[in-house]
Amino acid sequence: MYLGFCDLLMDFDLSREEALFRDSVREFGERYIKPHWVDLDEGKYSLLELIPRLAEHGLIGLTLSSKYGGSEGSFLMAAIAAEELANADPSLAVPVYFLLETAWPFIVQRYAKDSTKEEVLPRLTKGEAWIGIASTEPQGGSDVGNERTEAKLVNGKWLLTGEKNMVTGVSIALRLPYGGGFVTITRTGPIEAKHRAITTMLFMVKRNGVVNTGFETRDYEEWGRRGIPTGYLRLNGAPVDPDFVLGEVNNGFKIAMEGFDVARTLIGAAALGTARWMLEQGREWIRSRVVFGKPISSYQSISFKYAELSTRLEAARLMVYKAAWLADKFYRGDSSVSILDIANAGAMAKMLAVELAVDVGLEVMKWFGGMSYYKETPVTRAFLGALSYYVGAEGAQNILRLIVARNLIGREVE
Ligand SMILES: Cc1cc2nc3c(=O)[nH]c(=O)nc-3n(C[C@H](O)[C@H](O)[C@H](O)COP(=O)(O)OP(=O)(O)OC[C@H]3O[C@@H](n4cnc5c(N)ncnc54)[C@H](O)[C@@H]3O)c2cc1C
């Protein structure tokens, strides 16, 4: 068979526009984030100071419609931005802010009523509002179909009762001028109905400057990524306007899963950025650190590990880009891609990139020797940032394996 006239369909180059965008985010990171990331992690600099700059640069609601002030960017561009922001803030507070404010507002744009979108999204893209995710509950975050937070319709308002755990950004939403809310997974039918009685709604902790009633919150003290707070949200009859229900009542499980699917691809991208930064630090160090009369990079147990981790970084980036590319195809209406393809690729992207970032962190800390144990060596901050995604945030690593196994083997996989 003569194949000389085949089109070269596979193209590993970024387009000119994508490459320029990557350079502009890299420059933004160098200028506005790198000088502050350690202070941000130490609580000496506030994320709130960066939010207006991110908004000016079009980095809030990157994939939203220009109708709401969004940049109409692709998920590939969002992945590129998440990697660059994580390279500038390897402890991950800024990239986490960026990726949450890309994925969950996108879900609101797809499923909220027009009046809700017109009210909240333009404030979000200006950096005045927050949209996060409130899914996890104290009895376990992985089994979303088993969630207990109840929503009951009383006198024309949904009233929420229950507890959400480890919710990122509540205290940020409370400090922004408009406020903000959370794509919240609630039960609107009997527990036996599992995912068929789940409704997703945008629960506002503060709306138009007015703090909602019926909830309590407190931030946890964290080991890593300390520039962005996570806490609990105790709901004691907290009201939600019926216009803030996303999609149909009892049909919210799929909506929430779609949000996790796109968010995971961007988490993979953020993990690439922190892994890249740690490897860059490691490379400098092993070439200059002389032990037994030679730079430690000359010992194969170190240089081979560097080569192996760099290879895994390249492979993980290909997976992240593929997952983002599939999401772009799906949302542009290409019927050859299904939502299951996005779920599968997003899970693979997060699994590969996060495990890589944690492995890179542990290895590079060993290269730094005893000094990695002290705050003078910032690599440990990056490792702790990556660890947040390794132990749970937006899906535990085993749950990603479960998603992939079910897709590839069948629903019988438990
Ligand atoms: C820094 C940080 C930020 C977070 N931000 C948010 C947020 O903004 N909003 C939000 O809703 N949640 C958030 N979370 C919570 C996160 O989503 C949960 O930690 C995650 O979903 C796992 O839930 P869990 O911790 O309750 O673990 P569990 O569900 O209790 O699972 C415990 C362990 O069992 C394993 N496991 C469970 N089921 C299976 C199975 N079938 N097969 C094999 N192993 C299994 C899991 O992999 C895990 O290792 C955040 C977490 C962290 C650490």
Side-chain angles (χ1 to χ4, degrees):
M1 188 171 29
Y2 178 63
L3 297 174
F5 292 108
C6 281
D7 281 339
L8 283 174
L9 272 180
M10 194 73 90
D11 186 350
F12 291 96
D13 281 332
L14 296 180
S15 70
R16 191 171 161 274
E17 196 188 13
E18 286 158 351
L20 283 173
F21 174 72
R22 179 201 54 206
D23 295 347
S24 80
V25 181
R26 193 172 286 174
E27 242 172 68
F28 177 88
E30 289 284 337
R31 190 156 167 207
Y32 297 114
I33 303 174
K34 271 197 180 168
H36 301 297
W37 79 272
V38 172
D39 282 347
L40 187 58
D41 203 45
E42 281 289 309
K44 295 176 187 156
Y45 183 82
S46 168
L47 188 58
L48 292 177
E49 292 194 40
L50 269 176
I51 291 175
R53 292 217 181 276
L54 287 159
E56 265 167 41
H57 212 78
L59 289 170
I60 306 182
L62 184 83
T63 52
L64 293 184
S65 159
S66 53
K67 196 158 85 174
Y68 306 119
S71 305
E72 310 221 349
S74 63
F75 277 100
L76 180 57
M77 283 174 139
I80 291 168
E83 179 178 341
E84 291 309 323
L85 293 173
N87 197 251
D89 170 16
S91 77
L92 293 185
V94 180
V96 168
Y97 173 83
F98 165 79
L99 70 89
L100 289 175
E101 300 314 288
T102 301
W104 295 102
F106 181 77
I107 293 300
V108 168
Q109 177 176 268
R110 266 173 78 71
Y111 294 104
K113 301 209 168 25
D114 284 346
S115 56
T116 306
K117 295 192 272 197
E118 282 155 17
E119 177 182 325
V120 183
L121 297 179
R123 305 297 297 266
L124 177 121
T125 52
K126 284 194 188 114
E128 297 171 359
W130 162 277
I131 292 178
I133 166 73
S135 161
T136 308
E137 297 187 354
Q139 79 278 357
S142 302
D143 187 3
V144 176
N146 197 29
E147 297 212 339
R148 314 276 162 85
T149 295
E150 263 193 319
K152 287 217 160 99
L153 197 54
V154 180
N155 297 331
K157 290 262 184 216
W158 289 97
L159 301 184
L160 309 190
T161 309
E163 186 167 337
K164 294 292 180 183
N165 201 15
M166 297 181 257
V167 180
T168 301
V170 184
S171 57
I172 296 184
L174 288 171
R175 285 156 74 199
L176 287 173
Y178 171 90
F182 294 82
V183 174
T184 304
I185 297 171
T186 67
R187 175 155 301 288
T188 38
I191 188 95
E192 303 77 51
K194 298 204 97 185
H195 59 277
R196 289 184 305 281
I198 296 277
T199 302
T200 302
M201 34 187 96
L202 187 60
F203 163 60
M204 305 299 287
V205 291
K206 182 173 160 188
R207 184 175 168 194
N208 251 329
V210 180
V211 177
N212 204 348
T213 55
F215 76 92
E216 290 165 47
T217 185
R218 185 172 63 76
D219 287 341
Y220 294 121
E221 210 171 307
E222 303 186 36
W223 292 113
R225 68 168 235 202
R226 288 177 303 163
I228 189 158
T230 296
Y232 67 72
L233 200 49
R234 213 163 271 152
L235 304 160
N236 315 305
V240 177
D241 195 313
D243 279 352
F244 280 60
V245 168
L246 304 178
E248 303 294 319
V249 170
N250 288 337
N251 206 16
F253 184 79
K254 283 188 191 150
I255 295 174
M257 290 304 119
E258 190 178 330
F260 289 123
D261 294 341
V262 291
R264 285 180 188 135
T265 297
L266 302 181
I267 292 166
L272 296 178
T274 193
R276 191 178 103 205
W277 180 85
M278 290 188 281
L279 274 176
E280 285 162 3
Q281 300 294 305
R283 184 172 178 278
E284 289 300 304
W285 175 255
I286 60 178
R287 293 181 83 200
S288 59
R289 179 72 169 175
V290 175
V291 183
F292 293 111
K294 289 182 186 168
I296 58 173
S297 59
S298 65
Y299 303 121
Q300 283 190 356
S301 58
I302 289 185
S303 60
F304 280 19
K305 201 71 198 177
Y306 179 86
E308 178 197 316
L309 292 169
S310 301
T311 306
R312 281 176 60 194
L313 175 63
E314 192 72 20
R317 187 180 289 111
L318 289 176
M319 187 65 236
V320 167
Y321 280 13
K322 182 172 179 194
W325 172 80
L326 283 170
D328 287 329
K329 275 171 91 98
F330 176 76
Y331 289 115
R332 285 170 190 182
D334 184 331
S335 59
S336 69
V337 180
S338 74
I339 193 73
L340 283 181
D341 295 326
I342 301 181
N344 198 53
M348 286 178 170
K350 184 187 171 209
M351 191 200 304
L352 276 180
V354 166
E355 287 173 14
L356 164 74
V358 168
D359 289 351
V360 167
L362 274 177
E363 200 56 33
V364 175
M365 282 159 61
K366 283 191 272 174
W367 297 345
F368 275 88
M371 274 317 285
S372 64
Y373 201 65
Y374 301 96
K375 282 192 170 176
E376 274 76 2
T377 312
V379 131
T380 309
R381 295 178 196 274
F383 167 74
L384 288 171
L387 203 60
S388 72
Y389 282 128
Y390 189 71
V391 295
E394 306 256 1
Q397 293 298 94
N398 272 356
I399 300 309
L400 307 178
R401 284 169 170 76
L402 189 63
I403 293 168
V404 175
R406 277 189 179 159
N407 270 314
L408 301 181
I409 302 170
R411 301 293 303 171
E412 75 272 20
V413 176
E414 288 276 340

